[in-house]
Amino acid sequence: MAQQAYMTETDNGGSGPERRGDRFRRLVNRLLSGWRDDPHIWRRGLVLAAVALLLAGVMLMHSRIPNAIGNLGSLTETFLPWLGLLIPVLVLLGFLRKSATALIAVLLPAIVWLNLFGGLLTDKSGTGGDFTVATHNVNADNPDPTGTADRLAASGADVVALEELKSSAVPAYEKALASTYKHHAVEGTVGLWSKYPLTGVKAVDIKLGWTRAMRATVATPEGALAVYVAHLPSVRVKLNAGFTARQRDTSADALGEAIADETLPRVILLGDLNGTMNDRSLNGVTSQMRSTQGAAGSGFGFSWPAAFPMARIDQIMVKGVEPESSWTLPRTGSDHLPIAARVNLTTSD
């Protein structure tokens, strides 16, 4: 009798076990309890709506933000993807304020962000390619150059570019890489190690007064390949001066001119450009080359700082070469992550 009474109460919607669907409906009803028949849901949250529209405008019109004051435009473009973190914050605040206006307005920055960066959320890497490259700012104060070199050699790269080479550390890198890379050249603070012969090695003048860029021809099995290695000047964010990047911008223009004058049809640029692909000040380079990460990578591929990567300032860029895949390598003793890419030299853009 007790069991029959229990079943009868349950069947009639009494105090028996609650179904999952019923619990979900109760939760939804609770969340919306303050929204129904509330005429103020369209009046509240106007400030939040304005912030959402401003955020969309900044992302949509980032190229119009002037650099005249503290290079504000370049600073915004360097960390542009991170503005997307404000979107879920605005959504949460819109719910807390019970503002339909704010929630509708936040759709605009969400759409703009997805249009700018949604393609980076998918994996575009392929399985083809006949040539692998890697680049790494090894950090002049790297405590373990031998271990760093070993990790780079383990990547299987056909050529490896190193930046921020301290002269006293060069012998350690040469010794550690010698068994894998029979050919190498160092110019100033940058170097290139290759499994194939190097010719036409020369420093590239990027208007610094000392050498932080070089060029070499790699005699690959698929023919001659021009490889540039560059370390553009560092940038700083200062309260009294903003984003100080004038020397970096001048060097980027000089590097772009050198690449534009290259006579070989296939070109790869490896290095630390101290700027992202969104930064307009690198247009002298980015306007004529493709990023392997953007074309064939998975995710944003942030490379700096190594402890918590927030920006991809280390770049692999190509011209006359088809990117197949692009990725970051495990952390070394540097404050940058090394990056690598596999390309197809037999197929041009």
Side-chain angles (χ1 to χ4, degrees), residues 33-44:
S33 60
W35 295 67
R36 292 193 180 98
D37 302 322
D38 183 353
H40 300 295
I41 61 173
W42 299 104
R43 300 175 188 174
R44 284 193 297 263

Side-chain angles (χ1 to χ4, degrees), residues 121-292:
L121 300 179
T122 60
D123 188 352
K124 299 178 292 298
S125 57
T127 57
D130 50 27
F131 197 76
T132 302
V133 298
T135 182
H136 190 24
N137 179 327
V138 295
N139 190 353
D141 298 321
N142 191 321
D144 185 20
T146 299
T148 296
D150 289 341
R151 290 193 180 185
L152 291 170
S155 70
D158 295 291
V159 298
V160 171
L162 303 183
E163 303 87 49
E164 206 169 297
L165 283 170
K166 187 165 61 176
S167 57
S168 59
V170 170
Y173 288 107
E174 290 176 329
K175 181 178 180 181
L177 294 171
S179 61
T180 304
Y181 303 98
K182 305 298 182 183
H183 313 275
H184 83 279
V186 175
E187 295 285 341
T189 61
V190 296
L192 183 66
W193 274 256
S194 172
K195 294 179 179 180
Y196 306 107
L198 300 176
T199 58
V201 177
K202 64 178 182 180
V204 175
D205 182 11
I206 56 173
K207 312 301 181 184
L208 279 176
W210 68 95
T211 302
R212 284 175 50 149
M214 63 177 289
R215 180 252 183 229
T217 298
V218 181
T220 77
E222 288 74 30
L225 171 70
V227 176
Y228 286 75
V229 183
H231 182 194
L232 298 187
S234 299
V235 297
R236 298 287 186 269
V237 180
K238 301 179 180 178
L239 291 178
N240 62 339
F243 192 59
T244 57
R246 182 173 301 176
Q247 186 60 68
R248 190 279 311 267
D249 299 347
T250 300
S251 293
D253 290 340
L255 177 62
E257 291 173 4
I259 293 173
D261 292 338
E262 176 59 52
T263 57
L264 290 179
R266 296 183 296 186
V267 185
I268 293 182
L269 169 63
L270 307 168
D272 174 6
L273 303 189
N274 269 306
T276 67
M277 293 297 295
N278 297 312
D279 192 334
R280 76 195 68 176
S281 297
L282 300 184
N283 281 352
V285 176
T286 57
S287 63
Q288 56 180 320
M289 307 189 80
R290 299 172 66 192
S291 163
T292 58

Side-chain angles (χ1 to χ4, degrees), residues 1-58:
M1 292 297 293
Q3 183 177 5
Q4 289 179 346
Y6 174 80
M7 292 298 295
T8 301
E9 290 175 353
T10 302
D11 291 342
N12 291 332
S15 59
E18 188 177 28
R19 297 176 182 176
R20 287 186 179 180
D22 295 332
R23 288 199 299 268
F24 179 75
R25 281 192 293 272
R26 287 181 60 187
L27 177 61
V28 171
N29 289 335
R30 186 178 302 171
L31 290 174
L32 299 179
S33 60
W35 295 67
R36 292 193 180 98
D37 302 322
D38 183 353
H40 300 295
I41 61 173
W42 299 104
R43 300 175 188 174
R44 284 193 297 263
L46 295 182
V47 173
L48 287 176
V51 172
L53 295 178
L54 177 61
L55 176 60
V58 169

